[in-house]
Amino acid sequence: MPLTPTRPLPLLLTLAVALLPLGSAVAGKITINDEAHLNINLLLQPQAQFIKDGAPVGHVGTDFFLRRVRLLVFGNVTKRLSFFMETDQPNFGKDGNYNVDFFVQDAFASYEFADKIWVDAGFLIAPLSRHNLQGAIALNTVDFHSNLIRFTPGVGKVWRDMGVQLRGFVGPLGFRAAILNGAEGTVREDAPAINPDDIPRGVAMVRWNFLTREEDLFFQGIYFTEKPHLSVGAGADYQPSAVATASGVHDSVAFSADVFLDWPMGNNQELVFQTGVYTYRQGMDSAQSGTGFLSELGYRIGHVEPLVSVEYFNSRVIAQDAFVVRPGFNLWFQKHTFNLKTEVAISRLGDISETDTGIAGTAQLQFFY
């Protein structure tokens, strides 16, 4: 029977239940033997949005939908061989649209060939910066700062690309380096040649961990830990002749630099801060080209955390800039397992000195099990 957008999730859950006799299942973990185990998790993010002038007659518009519906399947085959796969069906029901794609978002195998050094192969997140390597499950804000992540248009899917990655640690230094498909080579008579030599895309990031080493496959926006975290990182992304604009064919180049701090303050409190700078070159006439930054600052007191985030992007194309301020408030009922995040986005997009100010309020529940 062919899979349709309404069938994959029930079928995968049925498969998971069928596998339970292989071992004991505790909180989604199936133990097969001393080295092999399988984890099955579900992520739900119901979201409500309230947008100024979002209704047909100009009043506040409302929208209720599922921001993310994900099934995660991962585990170990042996002590050194592991795998990770997750699906997504984002924005299910947004604006009344229930015919959204169900797709594989991550799918790769990992082999630890030396202590804390792995090679990954499959469908991977391009390792440009700490922010785009964060897991959606463990964000400190409601969502990612997508205005600042501007990979080559038409390449991969949702910041992922197909290829091979080397990642690991040398003392406090963490690194990730990937060779990815990028823009596939095409030569046509009626269009400019894109990457005619079919040269792969190279993306790499290095991080220096001053205190606690971040060994997460997907970084967290907040750790709820008594151990302090402080790291700085830099990344680069390059592929020749990967972008075609009206002015011709251009290399795709990106650089990033960022800082992350999660500092426990005692009495179940912590200060969380991160900032990052990004610059992109995809042709002088491309709105994707430019420089910008993001920053987040939050202070958690027990289950409560007020926070604020800012993002700004200055495009090389006139009237294509972005400036957004997001004050918010989080309630961490059970950390990343069950929480409520809220924010008010105050934005100016386009010519930020002339355009109208947009205001959108968002409340998002998260269930992860």
Side-chain angles (χ1 to χ4, degrees):
M1 180 181 295
L3 298 182
T4 66
T6 60
R7 290 183 179 273
L9 187 56
L11 287 177
L12 287 170
L13 289 174
T14 300
L15 175 61
V17 172
L19 288 171
L20 289 179
L22 292 176
S24 60
V26 179
K29 182 174 181 178
I30 302 168
T31 301
I32 300 171
N33 57 45
D34 290 342
E35 293 187 350
H37 63 267
L38 178 67
N39 295 273
I40 301 171
N41 294 115
L42 179 67
L43 171 67
L44 295 177
Q45 290 180 339
Q47 193 173 106
Q49 284 191 340
F50 308 91
I51 305 171
K52 185 194 78 167
D53 300 329
V57 294
H59 300 297
V60 175
T62 60
D63 203 2
F64 300 91
F65 58 99
L66 290 176
R67 176 64 184 93
R68 292 180 178 87
V69 185
R70 292 186 180 180
L71 181 68
L72 296 81
V73 181
F74 58 98
N76 279 69
V77 178
T78 67
K79 183 178 180 180
R80 294 188 176 275
L81 180 62
S82 60
F83 63 93
F84 182 89
M85 188 277 287
E86 72 172 336
T87 66
D88 201 4
Q89 197 163 13
N91 299 321
F92 185 71
K94 187 173 184 178
D95 297 323
N97 179 19
Y98 294 92
N99 296 314
V100 295
D101 289 341
F102 178 96
F103 56 88
V104 173
Q105 177 150 291
D106 298 274
F108 56 89
S110 303
Y111 184 73
E112 186 180 10
F113 64 89
D115 185 42
K116 298 299 182 182
I117 299 180
W118 296 265
V119 60
D120 308 315
F123 198 45
L124 310 157
I125 299 180
L128 175 63
S129 69
R130 186 186 187 281
H131 181 64
N132 78 280
L133 285 165
Q134 286 186 131
I137 295 165
L139 292 173
N140 198 27
T141 50
V142 170
D143 217 321
F144 292 95
H145 300 278
S146 298
N147 282 324
L148 274 299
I149 310 301
R150 301 189 172 217
F151 291 133
T152 310
V155 167
K157 189 176 183 70
V158 199
W159 304 348
R160 277 75 171 171
D161 202 352
M162 202 72 69
V164 179
Q165 173 179 256
L166 180 68
R167 63 182 169 90
F169 296 89
V170 179
L173 179 69
F175 62 88
R176 303 192 189 200
I179 301 296
L180 307 170
N181 271 341
E184 291 287 349
T186 61
V187 178
R188 298 187 306 176
E189 294 182 358
D190 60 340
I194 300 295
N195 190 15
D197 296 318
D198 206 21
I199 298 173
R201 171 190 182 191
V203 191
M205 182 193 71
V206 293
R207 303 199 64 75
W208 187 269
N209 297 276
F210 291 95
L211 302 168
T212 307
R213 207 164 68 177
E214 291 187 87
E215 297 186 359
D216 304 86
L217 180 59
F218 302 103
F219 295 119
Q220 298 187 38
I222 180 171
Y223 278 96
F224 305 100
T225 179
E226 296 180 356
K227 297 179 179 180
H229 292 76
L230 174 61
S231 66
V232 298
D237 181 358
Y238 175 74
Q239 188 175 26
S241 305
V243 182
T245 68
S247 64
V249 177
H250 310 277
D251 296 349
S252 180
V253 183
F255 297 100
S256 74
D258 59 74
V259 178
F260 174 74
L261 172 69
D262 189 334
W263 195 267
M265 305 295 287
N267 299 318
N268 198 21
Q269 301 179 37
E270 64 184 311
L271 174 72
V272 186
F273 170 76
Q274 70 169 313
T275 189
V277 179
Y278 298 80
T279 185
Y280 299 90
R281 295 295 180 266
Q282 299 176 11
M284 294 291 289
D285 55 341
S286 170
Q288 296 290 101
S289 297
T291 300
F293 74 90
L294 64 86
S295 290
E296 298 177 6
L297 177 64
Y299 192 89
R300 182 183 64 83
I301 305 172
H303 296 295
V304 177
E305 183 194 12
L307 71 161
V308 63
S309 68
V310 180
E311 61 188 59
Y312 171 71
F313 189 80
N314 180 21
S315 174
R316 282 181 169 265
V317 176
I318 296 175
Q320 295 292 322
D321 301 337
F323 177 68
V324 187
V325 179
R326 293 185 173 94
F329 192 81
N330 295 342
L331 293 174
W332 302 103
F333 304 116
Q334 295 182 33
K335 300 179 181 178
H336 295 306
T337 298
F338 176 43
N339 57 63
L340 173 65
K341 299 177 183 178
T342 66
E343 68 173 28
V344 177
I346 305 165
S347 61
R348 288 200 162 208
L349 307 176
D351 184 345
I352 60 177
S353 64
E354 301 291 339
T355 189
D356 293 336
T357 300
I359 300 177
T362 301
Q364 177 179 279
L365 273 174
Q366 175 167 301
F367 302 89
F368 176 65
Y369 181 80

